[in-house]
Amino acid sequence: MSKPGDYDAVRRDIVAQLKKPDYDDGSTGPLFVRLAWHSSGTYDVESDTGGSNGAGMRYEAEGGDPANAGLQHGRTFLEPVKERHPWITYSDLWTLSGVVAIKEMGGPEIPWKPGRTDHVDDSKVPPRGRLPDGAQGADHLRFIFYRMGFNDQEIVALSGGHNLGRGHADRSGFQGPWVNNPTRFSNQFFKLLLNLEWKQTTLANGITQFQYVDPDAEEGDEPLMMLPTDIALREDPKFRPWVEKYAKDKDLFFDHFSKVFAKLIELGIQRDVSGSVVNTDNVKGGYISAPKKSDTPTGPPRKDRSQQARL
């Protein structure tokens, strides 16, 4: 067990949880990035609700949201870290896991500050429906991300996270990886989005996505895929220039992604000049670390075509 505040020790134990030969493409990294994303992306700038404080996914009201299908596995993979460092809050652990995973998978260093507290009940869990639906288009992306306080450039940069991981038919409804190496962070997502011929296809479950079938692929090779929201980035006249810039300039993409991901995991957090969190829950309750949960993953049921979609 580490001393409270020893975040370097927590980082090392997160790294130790990344390699999982029997899970997906052998890494939990993309799942940790999605966990950090979804635990923060519920923020509404107008009402100042949701965001990375609270770790609301511990409760059915948020954890059972079909948009969070599959994240119960990510939370469970982090339970050994929580057990070794019971002083850290889940909201800090989940956001830190995404930052660590991105760096370990070859991505940029992302600024991260601690101090998020864990809510003591589900009374402040935001309503469902605040996370993106991959089956939609550009207008939907702007509706979702503008609500969080992002602009068009930031939407495209954050979408570059699709360079990691894959779709799961029993979670989001989509199936397959976006890139050939889904556990290595790069700007390949943007290059492929622009340069390959993406054909619309309907899966057996009724979900529509876009696929590229390599004519030189060997039997059994899985085709790459893009979501309708990904194609919208290419087709929209204001999104596309940023897709082109990131496809050409990896360093620019890494710089912008680092900034926007740091902004994402700070959504809903208020800090004073010293960096201390001054949200009401933190001031009144202090740094509340919720007790360790079960080592057995529990989460929302399989999603259908009408429900929100992510990885």
Side-chain angles (χ1 to χ4, degrees), residues 119-185:
H119 293 330
V120 297
D121 57 41
D122 65 357
S123 62
K124 293 190 176 182
V125 170
R128 297 181 181 184
R130 290 188 175 183
L131 295 166
D133 179 353
Q136 303 298 318
D139 288 345
H140 171 78
L141 284 176
R142 289 192 172 94
F143 172 77
I144 293 293
F145 285 92
Y146 284 7
R147 190 207 69 236
M148 288 184 253
F150 293 114
N151 60 33
D152 285 358
Q153 172 264 312
E154 292 171 317
I155 292 172
V156 179
L158 197 54
S159 298
H162 281 174
N163 201 89
L164 301 172
R166 59 173 50 243
H168 299 80
D170 61 346
R171 299 179 190 179
S172 66
F174 300 107
Q175 183 63 45
W178 284 267
V179 302
N180 298 105
N181 188 349
T183 63
R184 185 70 178 174
F185 197 85

Side-chain angles (χ1 to χ4, degrees), residues 1-3 23 26 48 53 57 69 107 111 134 136 138 165 227-228 237 247 252-253 256 261-262 269 273 276 311:
M1 185 185 301
S2 62
K3 294 180 180 180
Y23 182 79
D48 192 28
N53 218 32
M57 243 184 280
Q136 303 298 318
L227 308 180
L252 179 68
F253 167 56
H256 286 187
F261 201 85
I269 300 298
V273 293
S276 298
L311 292 183

Side-chain angles (χ1 to χ4, degrees), residues 62-78:
E62 185 173 340
D65 186 340
N68 289 325
L71 287 178
Q72 66 270 25
H73 300 290
R75 300 193 298 271
T76 300
F77 287 142
L78 288 170

Side-chain angles (χ1 to χ4, degrees), residues 29-34 37 98 102 105 108 110 145 154-167 177-179 181-190 225-227 230 233 246 253-254 256-258 260-261 264 310-311:
L31 189 61
F32 289 171
V33 175
R34 181 175 175 239
W37 194 149
I102 289 167
M105 290 186 288
I110 297 172
F145 285 92
E154 292 171 317
I155 292 172
V156 179
L158 197 54
S159 298
H162 281 174
N163 201 89
L164 301 172
R166 59 173 50 243
W178 284 267
V179 302
N181 188 349
T183 63
R184 185 70 178 174
F185 197 85
S186 72
N187 63 339
Q188 191 71 5
F189 166 78
F190 297 109
M225 72 95 182
M226 289 284 169
L227 308 180
D230 298 324
L233 298 177
Y246 296 149
F253 167 56
F254 274 35
H256 286 187
F257 184 86
S258 176
V260 73
F261 201 85
L264 171 71
R310 278 295 291 169
L311 292 183

Side-chain angles (χ1 to χ4, degrees), residues 2-15 81 85 87-89 91-93 95-96 100 112-116 271 287:
S2 62
K3 294 180 180 180
D6 188 354
Y7 295 103
D8 286 339
V10 178
R11 286 174 179 268
R12 289 193 293 270
D13 282 343
I14 292 173
V15 171
V81 182
H85 313 281
W87 52 267
I88 193 171
T89 61
S91 45
D92 271 351
L93 177 59
T95 53
L96 181 58
V100 170
W112 178 87
K113 297 177 182 178
R116 300 163 189 79
R271 298 183 186 271
Y287 189 76

